[in-house]
């Protein structure tokens, strides 16, 4: 960010003697800090575009939300590092003055951390009660579906209908593979796809239809709830960027 400012000739210049002296004091303090050991700015990112997107109503991604959280945490760590400098803190007063006037949005940072695992870039189950319930139901349903299809595929294999048991996904639905000549082994099945050679059919057994329907419904519900969570966090960031807070009616549990 510093390089960008210098390259674009946007270095601030004092409009008065007092303002120029203040800027010089800040520069001197920054040099003093660097001489005593460089500050760690690794977590601080230019989140201007992200904030602009949030304010404009664009839904932020998990990665963008985590970038905001990292920057808030890292900026606060810089402040703590300067405050803990002991006798040197007086030399750093011009920098401390800048940071102490900043809002580090600790509650916002906590909300993002509660809802998202930034190491895995994943929305956590605990982010909302609905998401926790949906994912639990989906896991249980998938276990039942997987167990059913493995049993059917093993039966097809034993009957000579396939070289090895095959459970796969076609058209967003779990199914089994079976030779075209042995499709009679799944009398109530639906053909979802056929291999390029035409030798293998990918079929959804009748027993699996209801479970597959539930999986599709739960998958869509999970995506909708995840979007609701991202929307909530985006709104929180947008309001912070605009300088004020509003209540957002969403069942955040943190």
């Amino acid at each position: 960010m510093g390089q960008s400012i210098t390259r674009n000739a946007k270095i601030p210049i004092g409009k008065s003697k007092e303002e120029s002296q203040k800027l010089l004091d800040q520069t001197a303090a920054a040099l003093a800090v660097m001489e005593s050991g460089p500050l760690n700015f690794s977590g601080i990112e230019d989140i201007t575009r992200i904030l602009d997107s949030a304010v404009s109503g664009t839904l932020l991604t998990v990665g963008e939300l985590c970038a905001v959280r990292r920057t808030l945490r890292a900026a606060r760590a810089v402040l703590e590092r300067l405050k803990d400098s002991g006798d040197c803190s007086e030399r750093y007063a011009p920098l401390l003055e800048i940071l102490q006037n900043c809002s580090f949005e600790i509650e916002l940072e906590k909300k993002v951390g509660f809802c998202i695992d930034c190491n895995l870039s994943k929305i956590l189950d605990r982010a909302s009660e609905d998401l926790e319930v949906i994912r639990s139901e989906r896991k249980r349903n998938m276990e039942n579906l997987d167990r059913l299809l493995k049993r059917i595929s093993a039966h097809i294999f034993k009957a000579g209908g396939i070289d090895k048991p095959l459970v796969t996904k076609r058209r967003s639905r779990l199914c089994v593979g079976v030779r075209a000549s042995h499709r009679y082994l799944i009398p109530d099945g639906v053909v979802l796809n056929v291999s390029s050679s035409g030798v293998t059919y990918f079929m959804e057994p009748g027993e699996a239809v209801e479970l597959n329907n539930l999986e599709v419904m739960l998958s869509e519900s999970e995506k909708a709830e995840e979007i609701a969570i991202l929307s909530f966090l985006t709104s929180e960031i947008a309001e912070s960027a605009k300088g004020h807070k509003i209540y957002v009616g969403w069942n955040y549990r943190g």
Side-chain angles (χ1 to χ4, degrees), residues 152 155-156 176-178 182-190 201-206:
I152 293 173
H155 169 70
I156 294 170
V176 296
V178 60
H182 288 67
R183 60 178 295 187
Y184 65 84
L185 292 171
I186 315 177
D188 58 349
V190 176
Y201 279 23
F202 300 100
M203 299 184 67
E204 179 184 17

Side-chain angles (χ1 to χ4, degrees), residues 134-196:
I134 290 167
R135 285 182 173 174
S136 177
E137 289 182 2
R138 190 178 179 195
K139 180 182 177 183
R140 186 166 52 251
N141 183 68
M142 281 298 293
E143 287 172 350
N144 292 335
L145 181 56
D146 185 62
R147 187 163 48 247
L148 170 66
L149 292 177
K150 282 181 177 177
R151 176 173 59 78
I152 293 173
S153 186
H155 169 70
I156 294 170
F157 170 67
K158 289 177 182 178
I162 197 76
D163 291 335
K164 61 181 180 179
L166 175 62
V167 176
T168 185
K169 181 177 281 190
R170 291 294 186 276
R171 290 161 53 184
S172 301
R173 301 177 76 85
L174 283 175
C175 57
V176 296
V178 60
R179 287 196 183 95
S181 58
H182 288 67
R183 60 178 295 187
Y184 65 84
L185 292 171
I186 315 177
D188 58 349
V190 176
V191 178
L192 298 180
N193 204 348
V194 181
S195 66
S196 57

Side-chain angles (χ1 to χ4, degrees), residues 5-21:
I5 288 173
T6 55
R7 286 170 181 163
N8 293 307
K10 292 183 179 179
I11 297 176
I13 298 174
K15 296 180 181 178
S16 65
K17 181 178 179 180
E18 292 75 15
E19 190 176 345
S20 292
Q21 187 59 55

Side-chain angles (χ1 to χ4, degrees), residues 233-245:
L233 294 173
T234 298
S235 296
E236 288 286 287
I237 287 175
E239 293 307 319
S240 293
K242 289 188 286 189
H244 63 279
K245 290 283 187 180

